[in-house]
């Protein structure tokens, strides 16, 4: 109780004392203001004071966040993780980790970005020593963009192939099919053949042949669709050591995907905020259609039961908890910098806590819905082939993640060359072109092994580590009391004590335990039956720690080249907020107790020209 009381709402006298101590270095400037003095700052698509883009409407922001949170992590990865970790038991742990770890990090990032109106790199004016956190977030976002776009390329490939009649993956007999190829038509024809043979046997007293004589046994059956994917689309080699040749059709789809992404974000949130009206809503429509179709398939119930039936003994398996932690951070983008970037284009007074709660609820609902869709189809496939379900299983975010990288670049360059904001499309073009070239290995016959390596390491560990460091820096280096007062001035109220308890204790503790167990019970990367060799795992770990190296290298650079004094004095100076830290608008800065920035055009309060942090 004593611990919780520390974060309880203080009385009026204590609020005034905290305000003076934190923002005025003892100089009294008045009470925190409850009223929202935003008449002076008009909401336009471009901020006239900073030259930075803003959301055209509230719905642009909501749908962009929704499109970011609802991606492959929910629709593709969640059902698989639920399948391999105890079904309903994993779902219970997933919801718990979401509530106590990922959600608090998301709320923290959203408030952090909205308060400063800065991207994931420049926002670390709060504590310049840790600016490397922002570079690390931008780096893992770049990794993600490269392999996520190859997945978009796959969808384009399938879309084009779907215009063929019959569908190339619906039948055997193609050049890429093996003798083990199997389709529903194969089963039907063999049943007919079996019936005929039984009739003949009764007349001639000859032993009837079984279906095993005309088609592969259950253990060796391979669906025609699977062979189309592995042998035709990918042309898979035997491993990462053999990349093979370029899949030219795939390369064309990959570059087309980058062209589409470029035009969708060419004007930043002005265009991406409108594109998401389709890209964020359409997946829901498709999921509902697939769900209706899936539950009507024969055998669907078997798959759904497999999905939701909890294996309670799994709750005692620490691997389930680590898997759930990885999943929530990947699904919702916590620790990636994307949520922070999206919130940085918000209106200063927006209630982002409420928005985050809505988004996470919809994201969790989508994950569960996707699970029902996937497992209803798996139940049908298991029923159709006569296999057990475990033997059947083998496999807008892009806009926001790329926007994270571009915003980080533009915000940093704007400090040196303010005209960059107006020439943003050149930065976008250069970034897209560079990543389209860097991602070429993904289009080789062995590219799927590169994609899996990136997903396993760069997306699996790095965001969790960055999320932990982010919480520690904001709450303990900058100070939770300072951050609490900042939020009070931005939102007009103190956030619920639950968030501070999570930020200070629960979320860091959970993340540390998960990380420790992840490293202790480390499982090497694999793809199907292929296990990555030690040299490939070394590459994967290097990718993981490049984001951490960003933090270490920048901290060393800052202390040595940007500070003066003894080592201790340099570290302390670099940890303190930069003079330009605070809200972007001078009207808000003055209200919150920060020194007005020169050249911003807002009027300061008479007699308070010496305000400082």
């Amino acid at each position: 109780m004593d611990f919780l009381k520390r974060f309880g709402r203080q009385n009026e006298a204590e609020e005034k004392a905290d305000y003076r101590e934190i923002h005025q270095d003892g100089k009294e400037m008045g009470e925190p203001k409850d009223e929202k003095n935003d008449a002076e700052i008009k909401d336009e698509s471009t901020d006239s004071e900073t030259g930075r883009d803003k959301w055209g409407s509230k719905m642009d922001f909501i749908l962009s966040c929704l499109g970011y949170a609802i991606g492959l992590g929910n629709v593709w990865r969640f059902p698989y993780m639920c399948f391999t970790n105890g079904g309903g038991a994993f779902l219970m742990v997933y919801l718990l980790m979401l509530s106590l770890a990922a959600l608090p990090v998301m709320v923290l990032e959203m408030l952090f970005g909205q308060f400063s109106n800065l991207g994931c790199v420049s926002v670390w004016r709060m504590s310049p020593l840790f600016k490397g956190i922002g570079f690390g977030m931008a780096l893992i976002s770049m990794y993600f963009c490269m392999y996520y776009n190859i997945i978009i390329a796959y969808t384009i490939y399938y879309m084009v192939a779907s215009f063929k009649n019959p569908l190339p993956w619906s039948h055997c007999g193609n050049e890429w099919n093996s003798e083990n190829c199997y389709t529903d038509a194969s089963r039907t024809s063999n049943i007919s053949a079996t019936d005929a043979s039984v009739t003949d046997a009764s007349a001639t007293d000859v032993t009837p042949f079984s279906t095993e004589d005309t088609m592969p046994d259950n253990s060796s059956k391979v669906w025609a669709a699977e062979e189309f994917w592995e042998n035709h689309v990918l042309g898979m080699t035997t491993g990462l050591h053999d990349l093979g040749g370029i899949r030219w059709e795939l390369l064309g789809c990959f570059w087309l995907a980058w062209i589409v992404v470029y035009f969708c974000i060419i004007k930043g949130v002005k265009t991406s905020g409108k594109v998401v009206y389709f890209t964020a809503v359409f997946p829901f429509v498709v999921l509902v259609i697939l769900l209706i179709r899936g539950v009507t398939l024969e055998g669907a119930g078997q798959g759904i039961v497999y999905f939701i039936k909890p294996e309670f003994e799994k709750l005692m398996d620490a691997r389930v908890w680590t898997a759930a932690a990885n999943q929530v951070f990947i699904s919702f983008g916590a620790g990636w910098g994307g949520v922070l970037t999206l919130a940085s284009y918000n209106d200063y007074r927006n209630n982002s806590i409420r928005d985050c709660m809505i988004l996470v609820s919809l994201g969790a609902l989508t994950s569960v819905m996707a699970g029902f869709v996937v497992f209803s189809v798996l139940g049908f496939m298991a029923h159709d082939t006569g296999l057990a379900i475990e033997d059947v299983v083998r496999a807008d975010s892009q806009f926001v993640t790329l926007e994270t990288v571009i915003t980080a670049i533009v915000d940093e360059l704007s400090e040196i060359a303010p005209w960059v904001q107006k020439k943003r499309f050149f930065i976008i073009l250069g970034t897209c072109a560079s990543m389209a070239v860097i991602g070429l290995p993904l289009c080789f016959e062995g590219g799927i092994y590169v994609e899996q390596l990136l997903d396993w390491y760069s997306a699996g560990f790095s965001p969790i580590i960055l999320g932990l460091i982010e919480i520690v820096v904001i709450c303990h280096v900058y100070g939770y009391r300072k951050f609490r007062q900042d939020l009070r001035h931005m939102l007009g109220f103190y956030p619920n004590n639950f968030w501070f308890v999570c930020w200070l204790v629960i979320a860091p503790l959970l993340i540390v335990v998960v990380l420790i167990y992840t490293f202790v019970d480390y499982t090497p990367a694999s793809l199907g039956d292929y296990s990555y060799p030690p040299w490939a795992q070394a590459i994967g770990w290097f990718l993981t720690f490049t984001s951490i190296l960003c933090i270490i290298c920048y901290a060393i650079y800052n202390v040595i080249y940007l500070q003066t004094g003894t080592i201790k004095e340099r570290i302390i100076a670099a940890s303190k907020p930069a003079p330009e830290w605070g809200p972007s608008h001078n009207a808000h800065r003055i209200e919150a107790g920060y020194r007005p920035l020169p050249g911003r055009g807002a009027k300061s309060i008479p007699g308070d020209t010496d305000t400082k942090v």
Side-chain angles (χ1 to χ4, degrees):
M1 291 299 295
D2 289 339
F3 175 75
L4 293 176
K5 287 179 181 178
R6 290 179 56 199
F7 311 109
R9 187 174 181 84
Q10 301 174 343
N11 59 38
E12 183 178 356
E14 289 175 323
E15 287 182 10
K16 292 179 182 179
D18 283 343
Y19 182 72
R20 296 173 188 135
E21 175 187 350
I22 292 168
H23 291 301
Q24 302 304 321
D25 290 342
K27 178 178 178 180
E28 183 170 348
M29 185 179 162
E31 302 178 19
K33 298 183 181 180
D34 287 332
E35 64 271 16
K36 301 178 180 180
N37 302 333
D38 285 334
E40 314 166 30
I41 305 168
K42 298 179 180 179
D43 289 328
E44 301 170 349
S45 60
T46 300
D47 194 313
S48 59
E49 190 168 320
T50 64
R52 203 169 185 272
D53 288 343
K54 296 179 65 178
W55 295 111
S57 68
K58 173 78 167 181
M59 189 58 67
D60 291 1
F61 169 67
I62 293 292
L63 291 179
S64 293
C65 288
L66 197 59
Y68 178 58
I70 299 174
L72 291 179
N74 303 79
V75 178
W76 167 46
R77 201 172 187 271
F78 173 80
Y80 173 75
M81 296 300 292
C82 203
F83 163 77
T84 57
N85 291 282
F90 174 82
L91 183 60
M92 293 163 56
V93 178
Y94 168 86
L95 294 174
L96 182 64
M97 295 299 291
L98 175 60
S99 302
L100 299 180
L103 176 58
V105 174
M106 288 183 66
V107 171
L108 182 74
E109 288 190 350
M110 195 170 283
L111 293 169
F112 191 25
Q114 181 174 305
F115 179 76
S116 62
N117 290 132
L118 293 170
C120 66
V121 175
S122 298
V123 75
W124 291 101
R125 295 171 182 174
M126 169 188 271
S127 185
L129 181 67
F130 298 96
K131 192 174 183 178
I133 297 175
F135 289 119
M137 289 178 171
L139 187 61
I140 61 173
S141 294
M142 289 176 64
Y143 292 152
F144 177 84
C145 285
M146 283 189 292
Y147 79 78
Y148 196 95
N149 236 27
I150 193 64
I151 298 174
I152 296 177
Y154 297 150
T155 64
I156 294 174
Y157 192 105
Y158 270 85
M159 184 181 68
V160 173
S162 68
F163 286 99
K164 295 181 180 180
N165 188 17
L167 295 172
W169 57 82
S170 65
H171 58 91
C172 300
N174 301 293
E175 59 180 354
W176 58 81
N177 292 126
S178 70
E179 60 182 10
N180 292 329
C181 181
Y182 172 78
T183 64
D184 186 57
S186 303
R187 183 176 71 89
T188 303
S189 63
N190 278 282
I191 290 174
S192 300
T194 302
D195 291 342
S197 68
V198 170
T199 303
D200 292 342
S202 63
T204 61
D205 206 24
V206 177
T207 302
F209 67 87
S210 67
T211 56
E212 282 76 12
D213 296 324
T214 58
M215 66 184 298
D217 60 71
N218 283 356
S219 62
S220 60
K221 290 177 184 178
V222 182
W223 280 88
E226 185 177 344
E227 290 198 339
F228 174 79
W229 163 247
E230 293 183 353
N231 301 337
H232 183 63
V233 178
L234 299 177
M236 286 180 66
T237 59
T238 57
L240 187 62
H241 63 281
D242 179 18
L243 284 181
I246 293 180
R247 305 293 292 176
W248 292 103
E249 300 94 338
L250 205 54
L251 177 62
C253 294
F254 183 63
W255 282 350
L256 177 59
W258 274 113
I259 292 173
V260 171
V261 169
Y262 170 72
F263 280 107
C264 286
I265 65 171
I266 188 171
K267 291 187 177 180
V269 296
K270 294 179 182 178
T271 51
S272 64
K274 298 298 181 284
V275 172
V276 293
Y277 277 81
F278 173 78
T279 59
V281 175
F282 185 67
F284 280 104
V285 177
V286 173
L287 273 178
V288 171
I289 294 173
L290 291 177
L291 180 61
I292 294 172
R293 175 55 180 154
V295 297
T296 59
L297 293 172
E298 192 174 5
Q302 177 187 355
I304 292 174
V305 169
Y306 196 98
F307 170 54
I308 62 176
K309 183 180 179 180
E311 299 176 30
F312 289 109
E313 62 274 12
K314 290 280 190 178
L315 292 175
M316 304 304 295
D317 188 346
R319 283 173 291 188
V320 175
W321 292 79
T322 59
N326 278 322
Q327 180 59 31
V328 293
F329 273 80
I330 290 173
S331 292
F332 294 92
W336 291 73
V339 173
L340 188 157
T341 300
L342 290 175
S344 72
Y345 296 106
N346 266 345
D347 178 75
Y348 183 73
R349 299 296 186 184
N350 179 61
N351 188 344
S352 49
I353 298 178
R354 176 194 58 203
D355 294 344
C356 198
M357 296 291 290
I358 293 172
L359 294 168
V360 168
S361 299
L362 290 174
L365 177 64
T366 304
S367 292
V368 175
M369 185 185 298
F372 278 101
V373 171
V374 170
F375 277 87
S376 63
V377 175
L378 288 177
F380 161 72
M381 292 174 66
H383 177 272
D384 201 43
T385 60
L387 297 172
I389 290 180
E390 53 267 30
D391 295 325
V392 174
V393 177
R394 292 266 180 173
D396 337 291
S397 300
Q398 177 69 356
F399 298 155
V400 177
T401 309
L402 187 59
E403 185 67 39
T404 301
V405 177
I406 292 168
T407 299
I409 296 172
V410 172
D411 281 353
E412 282 298 292
L413 291 179
S414 295
E415 295 184 26
I416 305 171
W419 54 267
V420 167
Q421 290 283 1
K422 296 181 180 180
K423 303 296 182 181
R424 180 189 179 95
F425 62 91
F426 284 122
I427 304 293
I428 298 174
L429 178 61
T431 303
C432 289
S434 299
M435 297 182 72
V437 173
I438 296 172
L440 280 178
L442 294 164
C443 301
F444 280 69
E445 292 173 334
I448 188 67
Y449 298 104
V450 179
E451 184 267 325
Q452 177 72 352
L453 193 69
L454 286 168
D455 179 64
W456 192 285
Y457 288 98
S458 65
F461 301 106
S462 301
I464 300 180
I465 297 172
L466 292 177
L468 173 63
I469 299 174
E470 183 179 37
I471 290 177
V472 171
V473 173
I474 294 176
C475 292
H476 297 284
V477 178
Y478 180 69
Y480 80 89
R481 292 180 67 201
K482 290 182 183 179
F483 192 56
R484 186 170 182 264
Q485 289 293 337
D486 289 339
L487 299 183
R488 163 72 173 83
H489 286 285
M490 179 176 71
L491 301 174
F493 59 88
Y494 287 112
N496 190 282
N497 296 333
F498 167 79
W499 301 114
F500 292 98
V501 173
C502 284
W503 294 335
L504 287 165
V505 181
I506 300 177
L509 182 61
L510 283 175
I511 294 173
V512 167
V513 171
V514 165
L515 286 174
I516 291 174
Y517 190 83
T518 298
F519 290 119
V520 170
D521 193 48
Y522 166 65
T523 302
S526 60
L527 180 62
D529 296 329
Y530 174 76
S531 295
Y532 284 77
W535 63 267
Q537 296 176 44
I539 294 174
W541 281 113
F542 173 76
L543 293 174
T544 295
F545 285 108
T546 49
S547 56
I548 310 304
L549 285 174
C550 288
I551 303 174
I552 298 171
C553 293
Y554 185 83
I556 294 173
Y557 164 77
N558 189 295
V559 169
I560 294 177
Y561 295 102
L562 303 183
Q563 308 298 332
T564 59
T566 64
I567 294 296
K568 181 179 179 180
E569 290 171 343
R570 293 180 182 210
I571 293 175
I572 293 175
S575 301
K576 292 182 177 179
E580 61 271 22
W581 162 250
S584 60
H585 287 274
N586 277 342
H588 294 149
R589 293 180 67 85
I590 294 169
E591 178 185 327
Y594 290 88
R595 178 190 292 118
L597 294 175
R600 288 292 172 90
K603 295 181 179 179
S604 59
I605 297 175
D608 287 312
T609 57
D610 191 34
T611 54
K612 57 185 178 181
V613 178

